[in-house]
Amino acid sequence: MKLLIAANWKMHKTVAETEEYCRSIIVEEKLFGDVDIVICPPFTALFSAAEVLKNSSIKLGAQNIHWAEKGAYTGEISSAMLFELGIEYVIIGHSERRRLMAESDQQIHDKIAAALSYGLKPILCVGESESERNRGTTDHVIEKQLKSALVGIDQAKTSGLVIAYEPIWAIGTGKAATAEDAENAARYIRSKVENLLGSRITGELRVQYGGSVNSENIGSFVELPSVHGALVGGASLEADSFSTLVQAARKAVHN
Ligand code: PGA
């Protein structure tokens, strides 16, 4: 399975900064081999990013969507609006949104359904907090998040679904999970998703690891049997260092 490395910029970069980044990253494109790259800028920069990247193989993702197609939802953006821009991926259920915006399991489920109905590929984020981990409830937390997000989703439409295992304690802390923990969680996720959505998904489901990924540690994650990519925050913000990270991932899987 091809690696999928996604850059989650969070609330960073103006349109001008986005254009500059995208122009730099396409110059490096040939160095990425067959690694699939997705850049997720803020909403305001998606249109400009799409213009700069239109002749490249680098894909775009959004960081959130609303579950409705349209309506009285001040400040929200729908799948239909993203689809029109040619956006291919959307991050759903990031822990920052679950925690800071009080996103509920039901809303995350509805966002997954909305994204899939427009052919957008969701990157569903799951992962435990530090206290949940210390209590030994990691698997239980992940199972609950997967169930609430995926039960009732039309199995015929799950093509392109990606799950990002992002332990909350590893995000932005410089304290990445060990390869062993990432593999255990990714393997568990794969088996749970197969149970929920059927074994048809097995061959195409990509599970990413996310949380303090950088060019030094990416190799240890992408060479794991159950991990097929990464969701990268801080280390994706400079085109140069993101390019180095992607090249390191490529090298690790081809060694
Ligand atoms: P980080 O963020 O790489 O800065 O830890 C990852 C994420 O939040 O997706």
Side-chain angles (χ1 to χ4, degrees):
M1 223 180 308
K2 283 163 74 179
L3 293 183
L4 177 70
I5 301 191
N8 175 13
W9 287 0
K10 310 189 179 184
M11 199 172 71
H12 290 283
K13 295 196 190 295
T14 62
V15 168
E17 289 163 347
T18 299
E19 288 174 346
E20 192 188 336
Y21 183 110
C22 292
R23 278 195 289 268
S24 309
I25 208 84
I26 33 183
V27 175
E28 306 273 292
E29 200 182 338
K30 55 188 178 310
L31 304 172
F32 302 158
D34 61 357
V35 180
D36 287 334
I37 308 294
V38 182
I39 312 266
C40 305
F43 286 129
T44 45
L46 277 171
F47 182 80
S48 321
E51 280 297 297
V52 180
L53 296 175
K54 68 179 170 216
N55 294 319
S56 88
S57 61
I58 296 167
K59 313 284 190 218
L60 282 170
Q63 299 174 19
N64 180 34
I65 46 164
H66 193 269
W67 55 85
E69 192 179 351
K70 58 184 163 189
Y73 301 103
T74 302
E76 295 291 330
I77 303 283
S78 73
S79 301
M81 296 167 186
L82 296 174
F83 179 74
E84 186 192 30
L85 293 186
I87 305 306
E88 209 168 300
Y89 289 84
V90 57
I91 298 172
I92 294 180
H94 191 282
S95 58
E96 285 155 13
R97 295 203 57 84
R98 291 180 193 257
R99 196 165 37 95
L100 302 171
M101 313 295 160
E103 250 179 42
S104 70
D105 286 344
Q106 182 63 48
Q107 289 170 346
I108 290 164
H109 172 275
D110 294 349
K111 289 176 182 209
I112 297 275
L116 290 171
S117 75
Y118 271 87
L120 297 174
K121 298 170 181 160
I123 300 177
L124 169 64
C125 300
V126 298
E128 80 287 4
S129 68
E130 187 151 38
S131 58
E132 288 163 341
R133 176 183 164 81
N134 291 341
R135 285 201 299 274
T137 56
T138 298
D139 285 358
H140 176 71
V141 169
I142 293 174
E143 181 182 22
K144 188 172 161 288
Q145 290 169 336
L146 290 173
K147 268 194 179 154
S148 58
L150 300 176
V151 166
I153 295 290
D154 182 352
Q155 294 191 10
K157 287 200 181 140
T158 51
S159 170
L161 175 71
V162 178
I163 312 284
Y165 169 57
E166 293 213 313
I168 298 169
W169 48 270
I171 295 175
T173 58
K175 203 174 79 182
T178 61
E180 191 189 353
D181 283 345
E183 171 61 18
N184 286 341
R187 196 179 329 110
Y188 182 75
I189 288 169
R190 301 194 78 82
S191 75
K192 284 293 152 199
V193 174
E194 273 172 39
N195 286 346
L196 293 169
L197 297 178
S199 54
R200 240 188 64 202
I201 192 135
T202 315
E204 60 167 315
L205 177 70
R206 290 191 278 193
V207 178
Q208 301 176 310
Y209 167 74
S212 296
V213 173
N214 58 39
S215 56
E216 306 287 307
N217 63 21
I218 181 81
S220 68
F221 295 114
V222 294
E223 59 194 18
L224 297 168
S226 307
V227 174
H228 294 94
L231 182 55
V232 186
S236 73
L237 286 174
E238 299 299 329
D240 279 1
S241 47
F242 187 55
S243 167
T244 307
L245 184 154
V246 175
Q247 291 175 62
R250 180 190 180 194
K251 200 160 152 237
V253 291
H254 288 294
N255 270 344

